[in-house]
Amino acid sequence: MMTNKTISFSLIGALAATMMYSAAYADKSNDTLNIAVDRELESIDNYYNTAREGIVISRMIWDGLLYRDPATNEYIPNLATSYKWVDSKTLQFDLRSDVSFHNGEKFDADDVVFTMNYLADPANGAKPARNVNWWTNAEKLGDYKVQLNLKTEFPAALEFLSGPVVMYPNEYYGKVGPEGMALNPVGTGPYMVTSVEPGKRYRFTKYDGYHSSSPKGRASIGKIVIRTIAESNTQLAELFSGGIDWIWKVKPDQAQRIQEQGNFTVKNSSTMRIGYLNFDASGRYGENPMNDVRVRKAIAHSINRDGIVQALVKGESIVVNSLCFPSQFGCTQDVPTYDYNPEKAKELLRDAGYPDGFEIPFLAYRNRDYAEAMISNLNAIGITTKFTYLKYAAFRDKVQDGDSPFNFGTWGSYSINDVSAITSHFQKGGKDDYSRDAEVMKNLNIGDTSVDLDVRKDAYKKALSRIADQVFMFPLWSYNTNYAFTKDLDFDPTPDEIPRFFTATWK
Amino acid sequence: MFFYAFKRSLLAILVALTVSMISFSLLYISSDPAIAMAGETASDADIEAIRELYGFDRSIVVQYLDWLKKAASGDLGKSYYFRTDVSHLIAERLPTTMTLGLCAIIFAIGLAVPLGVAAAIRPNSIIDRVALFLSVMGQALPSFWFALILIVLFSVNLRWLPVSGSDTWLHFVMPTIVLGYYAAPAIMRLTRTGMLEVLSTDYIRTARAKGLRPPVVLFKHALRNAIIPVVSLAAVQFGFMLGGSIVVETIFALHGAGFLAWESITRNDLPTVQGLILAFSLFYIILTLIADLINAWLDPRIRIS
């Protein structure tokens, strides 16, 4: 709520001064890691919660059939021992026989079949829908063997099965349902929940019975407490007073000052979220300058992405040239690029018949300072904007109704490490697609439905190259997150923005 | 007296209804509630599912009347966000807010009334100046800034008090001071003005001439009359503390009803917002009624009229 920089500076200054004679009280001695998050979770049940904090907690409590190694992005069996594509719409899994849920219930094929069929039923309202709406059903082939029947070819299945789709205990969940699971969650994951105060505090303890063969590895830290503290200054005060050991989403100016005073570790990591400019290339808004590719190219040359990253976005953020995050499957950076060149931009505008520029409505919903920096770049080549800054819901309404010829948005891909989670969302004819280009759509369709990795890569490259060449959308930069934590903790962030506390250790 | 209380209650209920109607409309006008609820990461399918599930495709009038009908029978509906009964949610959060509000109003009265009386007994003295200074500071200090300064001093530096949370009474010390101090100046100034006015009246001069001891004159005769407007003001301030402690609850991570109201508005959680507005309105009605009854008890003229 209180975002006033002056206040933050004063507080950080005062806090830093007090640190000179007050040592940090990390809870290493109690083997308890205290964590603060800034929003109340609607539910701790993995399938009735869309917040990122919920995803983080989900990885602690539950396991999926597979696991994506965040370092190599390789899909490794977790609750499964192996998997194979029977055909392009059928996956078979052999399951581990040595896994038990936190309540002692044995894990077997019945749990997988129950979970997958429960989620596939729209009446149960599991969300987000995209995570659970791509298969028809699951069949039991043996006590430890299951088959998943897909609705259509869906090569990103492995990505979903290695992250958001986790396995529930059939007997327990059948008895208690979502409400019971929200209050007393039970999974197979490295941490078990010991208490839930909805929206307020969650306590976890290391699961000693965690299967040793898990690629996640056994947890090292004994206990974890996650508290909701909405105000960032309070989070900082808790960190400095030793009440909290780990915080994230620290603002760049605050991170810099915490780092400078030297008592905490500050790490920065690029995330999968990227910023973009979206243009009305196909005329959904009506006739406007953005229909002309020369204007779009002029704008691409006018934006000083490097300068904005260095001055405002900061951290590990990088300029991206392709409409995706580099680590995502199929995300080639080998596409036409546009350097910062205002003179060339003016020339392109002249060629397009706008020697004196023009005025255009421009929408944004976050990072007003970044938007204003870009507006300044545009002004330099003669383009003036009618800038409107909206809440996300209103922004989305306007954009999807075709009421925005030019806007600045961001997309996090739901931490799905696959191009289909971003490029296909924006460029395959959906409500956010302002280019509706047949060639792009054809190639994205091929990429989204083939299980042949080379075919996918080739199709996505064609689509991404065409998008870049025609500047249907202009990718800007990746985002980043600052993490601040006690020096006693060894913690490594990952680009998917899902902190894995089960890999953290005390020094 | 009974007819007067009945009339006041009826008026307050009408006000509460109007407020709920306006807030219901405003939440719809600000943005599509389905999109706001689904959040930034939601797909079209999620948004459509929410729209269908909660009946957002119906007209706003139909939705409001539907809510009103259920509320009249005691059913405040289910929170769209937490998927639990709104009444349960409010009941769960209210004790924190009530505790904070009660402590804060006691602190405010405890600080303001003695200072107001002292300032009135010795007008333009050093006590009066100190009272004035404290009063101006209380009005001028933004509560979030004051809260952060207290945190830096007592939690980070001295480590006497916990920064945030609501587990023990120690957690309520700083929030009480911040919330109470903000309410104190108005009570203090009103007490001072009332006392000054009463102390210059003929019956106080008579009481003194009769040889009554100064404390008796002061507390039995003067304060009892001067305090009447303060009671009404304190009731209003207490109502404000219950519904308007959003900033304090947010900074100290208290998870009370004020914080819930703020979060529910940002999440477009309509049943929770409506339920809270109803609850806060009822507080005001009850508090105003109690203030009227206390005033009638303090001043027989009100009872007679």
Side-chain angles (χ1 to χ4, degrees), chain B residues 5-21 64 68 278 281-282 284-286:
Chain B
F6 176 75
K7 235 170 57 176
R8 290 291 302 272
S9 304
L10 200 65
L11 191 68
I13 288 167
L14 286 174
V15 170
L17 272 175
T18 311
V19 169
S20 77
M21 213 183 302
Y64 177 71
L68 200 60
L278 193 67
S281 306
L282 286 173
Y284 272 103
I285 294 167
I286 293 164

Side-chain angles (χ1 to χ4, degrees), chain B residues 114-174:
Chain B
L115 267 175
V117 171
I121 296 169
R122 302 257 186 280
N124 300 319
S125 66
I126 185 76
I127 296 172
D128 193 18
R129 296 291 170 205
V130 168
L132 180 66
F133 173 76
L134 288 174
S135 168
V136 170
M137 287 286 284
Q139 288 282 285
L141 277 181
S143 52
F144 62 87
W145 188 83
F146 185 40
L148 292 173
I149 292 301
L150 290 184
I151 287 174
V152 170
L153 184 64
F154 293 109
S155 302
V156 178
N157 193 354
L158 298 170
R159 301 197 182 233
W160 289 352
L161 296 167
V163 177
S164 62
S166 55
D167 296 340
T168 65
W169 68 269
L170 282 173
H171 287 90
F172 284 91
V173 173
M174 288 192 291

